[in-house]
Amino acid sequence: MNLKISNAAGLTAALVGSAVPCLLQAQQAEKPNVLFILADDLGYGDLGCLGNRYIKTDNIDRLASEGVTFTNCYAGASVSSPSRCCLMTGMHTGHTTIRGNMTRTGGIEGIKEDAGVAGVSVTRTSIQPQDTTIANVLSNNGYRTALVNKWHLDGFDPTATPLDRGFDEFYGWLIREYKSHNYYPSIRWDNRNEYVIEENLDGRRADHNTDRSTREAIEFLRRNTDNPFFLYLAYNVPHVPLDSKDLGIYADYPGMSDNDKNYAALITHMDECLGTIFGEMERLGLDKNTIVVFASDNGGAKAAGTSLLDVNGGLRGWKGDLYEGGLRVPMIVRMPDGRSAGQVSDFPCYFPDIFPTLADMTGSYTTVDTDGISILPEVDSPGTMDAGARYLYWEQYPSRGISQAVRWGDWKLIRQNLDRAPELYNLRTDRDETNDVAAGHPDIVFKLLGWITDAHTESEFWPVNIP
């Protein structure tokens, strides 16, 4: 709202000027809050609302009944750091700063060490100061922004924390300190303050990461009942090591391996914690004005080693692959007014769309160009957006060269490095990518290869041709 104050009437100016804070407060109150929940390596087949028969996910399933479930949603990449970079910046991996967990050249050297296992020296890069994040945009539009738990965009750079990239508050872990990574961390950050979790020292298992993250999220909600907020809650679940708090209802489940039990218990524990958060939101009166989004950062991991559970819902491939099992993820969007409750959308969307969609949903002003589009029209009325109006793009880096994938409508083309023939699949009739039809559709292959060429820009950290 633009207010014009006449210099010819001092009294009128004073009256209008005094009204400005009230009007701004009213505008602030009308802004919807945003709670974005991200699981870590949760497979497409891990939720009851998407067909899982073993893992109890009552609260996420309820969220699906109250919102729109996107059955053709894709992560930004098939591994964590580049996928989260796409989520934060709205750019696909042909343009993002981070295109893999470790760099090929350049970056900052550090030790990759997981769960106390002897580490190896690797190089990483971080999201850069010139990269505008959705947190930057929402913060500039009057939102209080916070990240709880996993960032994974800092590399080994201590100047690239969430507080340096648009977030007002941060409670979680950073890459450079491996003791902060696991399910029973002994080190954690409260904004810029690194602190020790005494009860988890010396291998003790007193405070599970999922519980601590949930408490931190609830504390943030309680402090911001009168402020529009963007809370990005990024759990570790169910990333390996499969270190559940307890096996719960799965302890004596017939046919489940120990890995299955721990995997399922981690997800159900997260689901129960989400139920606690949703209940607190209702108690605080926040649920009627909060957009809730739930997704996973990439497909399920083969390293989880489950035997009974169909982690990726029958999709081909795993985390780290450009096949559907590595990229397709659950996504649920619940709007405060309950619009489209219980509906399903098969519109192909992906993480670069989140940035423009959240800006659209919150009425936030931004001049940033992204590779994504707002899918708010699809949330409002599933089935209305044209799947063939644009393409989705991914790339990743094997030991040499580059692998790429593009989806356009029902078609998906994968090129597994430059020296391999492209594979073409029709996902409408072959969701599991079992029948390569490239030979029968040279025109489609030609079109999609052209888009693959257009989408890629060179990266100083991931050169295509390395010595």
Side-chain angles (χ1 to χ4, degrees):
M1 180 182 295
N2 294 318
L3 295 175
K4 294 184 179 179
I5 301 177
S6 171
N7 292 325
L11 179 60
T12 302
L15 289 172
V16 175
S18 68
V20 169
C22 295
L23 288 169
L24 290 177
Q25 288 171 7
Q27 286 178 311
Q28 292 277 85
E30 293 170 2
K31 289 177 177 287
N33 305 309
V34 179
L35 170 59
F36 193 99
I37 305 156
L38 192 68
D40 193 352
D41 290 4
L42 184 81
Y44 186 80
D46 283 337
L47 303 178
C49 58
L50 287 173
N52 190 282
R53 296 179 295 140
Y54 302 101
I55 304 175
K56 185 178 175 65
T57 55
D58 291 351
N59 295 293
I60 299 172
D61 297 345
R62 176 188 161 198
L63 188 71
S65 73
E66 297 172 347
V68 181
T69 301
F70 284 83
T71 58
N72 275 285
C73 178
Y74 293 87
S78 64
V79 292
S80 183
S81 289
S83 185
R84 292 164 194 259
C85 193
C86 295
L87 175 66
M88 283 290 103
T89 64
M91 309 304 287
H92 61 52
T93 42
H95 295 148
T96 49
T97 302
I98 301 177
R99 304 191 187 185
N101 283 344
M102 274 69 76
T103 61
R104 277 183 168 171
T105 61
I108 298 174
E109 187 173 0
I111 299 298
K112 185 181 188 301
E113 188 168 0
D114 296 313
V117 177
V120 295
S121 179
V122 299
T123 55
R124 299 181 184 262
T125 191
S126 66
I127 190 170
Q128 298 297 303
Q130 63 269 26
D131 293 325
T132 300
T133 68
I134 185 59
N136 287 128
V137 171
L138 294 178
S139 181
N140 290 339
N141 281 270
Y143 278 77
R144 186 72 178 173
T145 57
L147 168 65
V148 170
N149 200 47
K150 183 173 180 176
W151 176 229
H152 223 250
L153 299 178
D154 50 310
F156 297 114
D157 185 353
T159 69
T161 73
L163 301 179
D164 303 302
R165 301 294 185 266
F167 286 94
D168 299 309
E169 301 180 34
F170 165 55
Y171 311 97
W173 60 271
L174 297 172
I175 287 174
R176 67 179 186 266
E177 175 50 76
Y178 80 89
K179 293 178 183 177
S180 69
H181 296 188
N182 55 68
Y183 286 107
Y184 290 97
S186 56
I187 301 289
R188 200 163 173 87
W189 273 263
D190 178 335
N191 291 305
R192 295 195 190 278
N193 176 44
E194 180 182 343
Y195 66 95
V196 175
I197 303 175
E198 300 282 348
E199 54 266 47
N200 286 344
L201 286 174
D202 302 319
R204 294 195 296 272
R205 297 159 53 92
D207 189 11
H208 197 274
N209 174 280
T210 303
D211 290 326
R212 179 168 288 260
S213 298
T214 300
R215 293 196 304 271
E216 290 164 340
I218 288 175
E219 288 165 5
F220 175 82
L221 294 173
R222 290 171 177 169
R223 292 194 304 271
N224 288 278
T225 55
D226 298 323
N227 305 313
F229 62 78
F230 169 53
L231 173 56
Y232 173 26
L233 172 56
Y235 285 115
N236 284 11
V237 175
H239 196 290
V240 294
L242 303 180
D243 202 354
S244 64
K245 182 179 178 179
D246 59 63
L247 296 181
I249 61 173
Y250 307 105
D252 300 315
Y253 203 103
M256 276 193 175
S257 67
D258 288 343
N259 270 358
D260 285 339
K261 293 175 182 179
N262 276 287
Y263 188 87
L266 280 168
I267 295 172
T268 295
H269 182 197
M270 175 181 67
D271 180 80
E272 292 168 349
C273 286
L274 288 176
T276 302
I277 291 173
F278 297 155
E280 185 68 8
M281 287 172 60
E282 290 180 21
R283 190 187 72 80
L284 296 170
L286 294 172
D287 58 315
K288 300 301 183 184
N289 193 37
T290 301
I291 299 162
V292 180
V293 183
F294 177 88
S296 176
D297 68 335
N298 47 247
K302 189 174 184 179
T306 59
S307 55
L308 177 66
L309 306 176
D310 187 5
V311 170
N312 286 327
L315 298 173
R316 179 180 180 180
W318 299 90
K319 171 184 177 178
D321 292 333
L322 291 177
Y323 294 112
E324 296 289 284
L327 291 170
R328 196 185 295 206
V329 296
M331 188 172 78
I332 302 164
V333 180
R334 186 185 74 182
M335 299 299 284
D337 59 6
R339 77 188 77 161
S340 307
Q343 295 195 43
V344 174
S345 169
D346 65 358
F347 178 75
C349 59
Y350 67 157
F351 278 14
D353 297 331
I354 300 298
F355 186 122
T357 300
L358 292 183
D360 197 5
M361 287 175 166
T362 59
S364 295
Y365 175 76
T366 176
T367 59
V368 176
D369 289 327
T370 71
D371 291 319
I373 60 172
S374 172
I375 60 169
L376 179 55
E378 188 68 15
V379 174
D380 289 341
S381 183
T384 59
M385 293 184 70
D386 180 7
R390 55 83 181 255
Y391 64 84
L392 285 61
Y393 174 79
W394 303 268
E395 65 187 39
Q396 62 188 38
Y397 293 83
S399 58
R400 288 182 177 274
I402 181 175
S403 294
Q404 298 160 288
V406 61
R407 176 167 179 173
W408 173 58
D410 294 333
W411 298 104
K412 181 179 174 188
L413 184 140
I414 303 174
R415 183 166 63 180
Q416 306 281 18
N417 220 327
L418 300 176
D419 59 351
R420 301 272 295 276
E423 305 166 32
L424 182 68
Y425 301 97
N426 186 315
L427 296 178
R428 177 69 62 180
T429 58
D430 182 24
R431 188 199 71 147
D432 300 337
E433 298 167 300
T434 59
N435 183 26
D436 178 3
V437 295
H441 299 275
D443 54 334
I444 300 296
V445 171
F446 181 79
K447 180 191 288 284
L448 271 58
L449 283 175
W451 285 336
I452 275 182
T453 300
D454 292 342
H456 171 76
T457 58
E458 277 296 298
S459 165
E460 62 177 301
F461 301 112
W462 285 273
V464 171
N465 298 306
I466 58 175

